[in-house]
Amino acid sequence: NAGVMQNPRHLVRRRGQEARLRCSPMKGHSHVYWYRQLPEEGLKFMVYLQKENIIDESGMPKERFSAEFPKEGPSILRIQQVVRGDSAAYFCASSADRGNEKLFFGSGTQLSVL
Amino acid sequence: AQSVAQPEDQVNVAEGNPLTVKCTYSVSGNPYLFWYVQYPNRGLQFLLKYITGDNLVKGSYGFEAEFNKSQTSFHLKKPSALVSDSALYFCAVRASSGGYQKVTFGTGTKLQVIP
């Protein structure tokens, strides 16, 4: 019973490149959340998606960032034209329903922008 | 806007002693409250939650938390700390309204249990 799978674990990009982070939720979960973790800032909510729909993107920067959760395949967090300030750990979580009373987290993707 | 405060960046406790990790919150209406633990290079793991009912909530690994509405607090406790409890602990809150509500996390408290 695999948990939430994120890949890659580490991603290095140069300024201006694109970063794609993938997240496969737990089996049977159709609700996915993306969080960003910076040292001394805790976890910051970015976006909540259900299959094929973005439900809440209030925490996601309006430019360069996008997220999707297609009918088939993993959820993707895409960062275009990365800058050094995008360096962080990005965590994906999933839940069985909208109530999100228990989130299951992946091990994260550490993005480093050179 | 809802928020969570974890006033201590780090808590040190001797093995075998009781531990407390503090958390206060702010939310409109009644809260749902959570504690998660993060071990190095891992994602967060759910420890326990308060939804309604008894103010003392028991969770995984012997942890418990006490909901105090008047003080808007939800402190995490354990009677006897283990070295293996050393980790980063996050408190979180969401509003209790039905359906989806955003979960907001605190900045985390590093717990160091000293052998």
Side-chain angles (χ1 to χ4, degrees):
Chain A
N1 184 17
V4 178
M5 303 301 291
Q6 288 189 250
N7 66 81
R9 286 298 306 273
H10 302 276
L11 182 61
V12 179
R13 286 287 179 266
R14 297 190 181 279
R15 281 179 295 169
Q17 291 184 320
E18 178 180 286
R20 283 190 176 225
L21 288 61
R22 296 175 190 80
C23 169
S24 296
M26 280 188 70
K27 188 175 181 181
H29 287 189
S30 58
H31 303 260
V32 166
Y33 313 80
W34 285 94
Y35 285 83
R36 178 163 61 179
Q37 184 178 32
L38 288 164
E40 301 178 359
E41 291 191 17
L43 253 66
K44 298 294 186 184
F45 169 81
M46 299 183 73
V47 62
Y48 161 46
L49 310 102
Q50 282 182 258
K51 282 285 187 181
E52 302 183 271
N53 291 301
I54 296 175
I55 308 300
D56 181 356
E57 56 182 349
S58 59
M60 200 151 69
K62 293 289 186 281
E63 297 181 355
R64 303 189 297 108
F65 285 73
S66 63
E68 63 177 10
F69 189 15
K71 186 176 181 180
E72 301 292 336
S75 175
I76 305 287
L77 179 67
R78 183 183 177 201
I79 311 173
Q80 294 178 292
Q81 300 175 340
V82 297
V83 300
R84 288 215 172 114
D86 297 332
S87 296
Y90 292 82
F91 288 94
C92 168
S94 72
S95 67
D97 54 38
R98 290 171 63 91
N100 65 356
E101 293 172 17
K102 186 173 183 179
L103 298 174
F104 293 82
F105 282 82
S107 296
T109 294
Q110 181 65 51
L111 173 65
S112 299
V113 180
L114 304 179
Chain B
Q2 62 194 36
S3 64
V4 173
Q6 294 183 242
E8 302 152 318
D9 290 336
Q10 181 159 335
V11 170
N12 297 321
V13 63
E15 186 177 22
N17 282 4
L19 69 87
T20 299
V21 182
K22 295 179 181 177
C23 170
T24 58
Y25 66 90
S26 173
V27 70
S28 296
N30 293 320
Y32 287 178
L33 294 156
F34 311 89
W35 277 101
Y36 285 80
V37 60
Q38 185 181 30
Y39 298 100
N41 301 312
R42 303 294 300 275
L44 278 68
Q45 295 177 32
F46 175 86
L47 270 182
L48 52 78
K49 66 180 178 182
Y50 170 82
I51 302 298
T52 187
D54 195 349
N55 288 345
L56 186 64
V57 178
K58 294 189 183 297
S60 306
Y61 312 121
F63 283 93
E64 57 189 27
E66 186 166 14
F67 170 59
N68 187 317
K69 188 172 184 177
S70 63
Q71 297 185 4
T72 62
S73 67
F74 190 57
H75 301 330
L76 181 70
K77 301 181 180 183
K78 187 173 182 181
S80 178
L82 301 172
V83 173
S84 57
D85 293 330
S86 298
L88 190 57
Y89 290 81
F90 289 93
C91 182
V93 69
R94 55 154 279 184
S96 62
S97 303
Y100 165 73
Q101 295 287 335
K102 186 187 306 181
V103 176
T104 298
F105 286 82
T107 53
T109 298
K110 183 178 180 181
L111 174 66
Q112 190 75 38
V113 180
I114 303 160

